Amino acid sequence: MAAHGPAAAEAPRTGAPSADAPGRLPVPTVIGHRGASGYRPEHTLGSYQLALDMGADVIEQDLVPTKDGHLVCRHENDITGTTDVSAHPEFADRKTTKTIDGAQLTGWFTEDFTLAELRTLRAKERIPAVRQENTLYDGRWAVPSFEEVLRWAEEQGRRRGRPVWLHVETKHPTYFRKLGLGLEEPLAKLLRKYGRHRADSPVFLQSFEPGSIERLGRLVGSRRVVLLSAPASRPYDFTDSGDRRTYGDLMKPEGLRWIARFAQGIGPSLTSVIPTGADGKLGEPTALVRDAHAAGLILHPYTVRNENQFLPADFRRGTDPNAYGDSFGYFRALLETGIDGIFSDNPDTARLARDDFLKG
């Protein structure tokens, strides 16, 4: 498979996706954001399994380290809101205040726990006020290590007769490297162990820090995606090194060509693809899709959620912010821009939206 190009890893855009081509991804690709986090507590084996069962093409993991150097799947190293750690009196003295990428946080952090200690905790719903039904599953699953997820993916791949694709993010890599807990080397070691280190392996590696992606590119051949945050903000490794470029600069043609020197794709926010206006309604698409494709990059923007409060104003239905709006309409508007894939908390909705889009 080619290393570059807007559909380098995927099947042709025309026609329905085919399950008869093992190892190939349909375009647009449906990516289960932290699994099926609209229905299960995020980054649990239950969330990953449901996303796969719902038809997600790729399942996302966010990686942070433990005190003893293991990689575990949490959206943040602050586990206060996603585990029951506060209910464990033996860990009360671990609560602390830290500054991470310039933000001060108080809570419990993975780097202060060994893997064995983390395994005594149970995962819970991160936003219970929004997703009250998800709290039914609080305490059902532990915090998974990334190696555990790799073993799960291998087992599911054997059972299904096709690879289970993963989308793996390094979180706060500069912060952790300064603690002596660099993420890239142990991640590369695990990818090599499980045969996911080649250019044609069923994995994407992603980070909001371009330097982390460059480092990974020197360690493994796996496909790499630079995540892009708000245009006015800067990657933390740029802030740390004195590089004045912003994410907005990286979205310009020159910045995209620079990214294409060491990555195969970008992961922009939805509003960088189609902004919303002052009234909260959807505006006109930007040139980002065209410019990224011209640079030979795929686009996997993030993240569509079904609830009204996460949708543009013109796709909301009713007054309850936690009720579902017209996410199908929003998906269609995004897919019509030519993006190559999309993250969603609701993989079943995304899969139906993608199928509808391909049918015309």
Side-chain angles (χ1 to χ4, degrees):
M1 298 181 186
H4 295 278
E10 291 88 349
R13 184 178 295 275
T14 57
S18 172
D20 299 326
R24 294 172 67 86
L25 286 175
V27 175
T29 303
V30 171
I31 305 161
H33 185 237
R34 310 176 199 174
S37 52
Y39 309 110
R40 300 289 187 272
E42 65 188 35
H43 290 312
T44 59
L45 287 178
S47 183
Y48 298 154
Q49 185 67 54
L50 184 60
L52 190 61
D53 293 343
M54 284 182 162
D57 304 307
V58 187
I59 315 296
E60 185 199 30
Q61 296 77 47
D62 296 319
L63 301 186
V64 291
T66 64
K67 183 178 182 179
D68 48 348
H70 293 277
L71 298 179
V72 295
C73 301
R74 291 287 87 187
H75 180 242
E76 291 291 343
N77 53 325
D78 180 358
I79 55 173
T80 309
T82 61
T83 72
D84 63 354
V85 63
S86 63
H88 285 253
E90 68 272 25
F91 298 135
D93 62 349
R94 306 279 179 97
K95 188 175 185 180
T96 186
T97 298
K98 301 189 178 196
T99 300
I100 300 168
D101 294 1
Q104 191 174 81
L105 301 171
T106 298
W108 288 264
F109 300 85
T110 60
E111 65 267 28
D112 297 328
F113 292 79
T114 65
L115 179 60
E117 289 172 333
L118 272 183
R119 295 291 292 177
T120 68
L121 307 179
R122 310 302 291 180
K124 66 178 186 179
E125 172 57 35
R126 180 178 59 89
I127 47 175
V130 178
R131 293 170 174 168
Q132 299 173 25
E133 294 174 354
N134 289 16
T135 63
L136 173 66
Y137 304 98
D138 285 357
R140 180 167 289 272
W141 294 288
V143 174
S145 70
F146 183 53
E147 183 159 22
E148 184 179 4
V149 172
L150 287 167
R151 290 197 298 265
W152 165 81
E154 292 298 293
E155 177 189 359
Q156 291 296 316
R158 287 192 295 270
R159 292 173 62 180
R160 294 165 186 265
R162 63 182 186 275
V164 172
W165 282 70
L166 305 177
H167 221 302
V168 185
E169 181 180 349
T170 58
K171 302 292 294 191
H172 310 297
T174 294
Y175 168 80
F176 286 121
R177 181 162 293 280
K178 289 185 177 182
L179 293 181
L181 293 170
L183 300 171
E184 294 85 3
E185 288 77 11
L187 171 54
K189 183 177 180 180
L190 284 171
L191 293 172
R192 287 192 295 269
K193 179 177 179 179
Y194 288 87
R196 290 176 177 258
H197 61 292
R198 294 177 290 270
D200 61 350
S201 295
V203 64
F204 294 95
L205 306 178
Q206 57 178 347
S207 182
F208 281 101
E209 296 189 17
S212 181
I213 294 301
E214 289 186 281
R215 183 180 291 271
L216 283 166
R218 293 192 291 269
L219 296 170
V220 293
S222 314
R223 296 175 184 85
R224 300 172 298 283
V225 173
V226 174
L227 297 172
L228 302 170
S229 190
S233 62
R234 296 161 65 197
Y236 186 72
D237 57 336
F238 283 16
T239 300
D240 187 67
S241 67
D243 190 323
R244 302 301 302 174
R245 287 177 296 172
T246 65
Y247 284 114
D249 292 327
L250 298 185
M251 293 185 218
K252 296 175 182 176
E254 181 181 356
L256 294 168
R257 289 192 295 271
W258 176 76
I259 289 173
R261 289 163 45 191
F262 57 89
Q264 290 73 48
I266 58 171
S269 66
L270 300 175
T271 53
S272 291
V273 177
I274 311 180
T276 53
D279 58 359
K281 295 183 178 181
L282 207 61
E284 293 298 318
T286 68
L288 183 59
V289 174
R290 180 197 66 203
D291 292 344
H293 283 169
L297 297 167
I298 63 170
L299 296 92
H300 288 170
Y302 61 92
T303 303
V304 179
R305 299 172 168 96
N306 283 355
E307 293 88 357
N308 275 322
Q309 63 184 284
F310 302 120
L311 295 171
D314 39 340
F315 294 96
R316 296 171 191 163
R317 298 294 179 265
T319 58
D320 182 353
N322 299 326
Y324 282 4
D326 180 19
S327 54
F328 284 117
Y330 189 33
F331 271 116
R332 174 163 288 277
L334 290 163
L335 295 177
E336 285 175 346
T337 66
I339 58 175
D340 302 281
I342 194 160
F343 284 83
S344 176
D345 284 9
N346 308 89
D348 54 342
T349 308
R351 179 66 183 264
L352 285 170
R354 190 266 307 281
D355 293 347
D356 288 346
F357 172 73
L358 290 176
K359 291 174 185 175

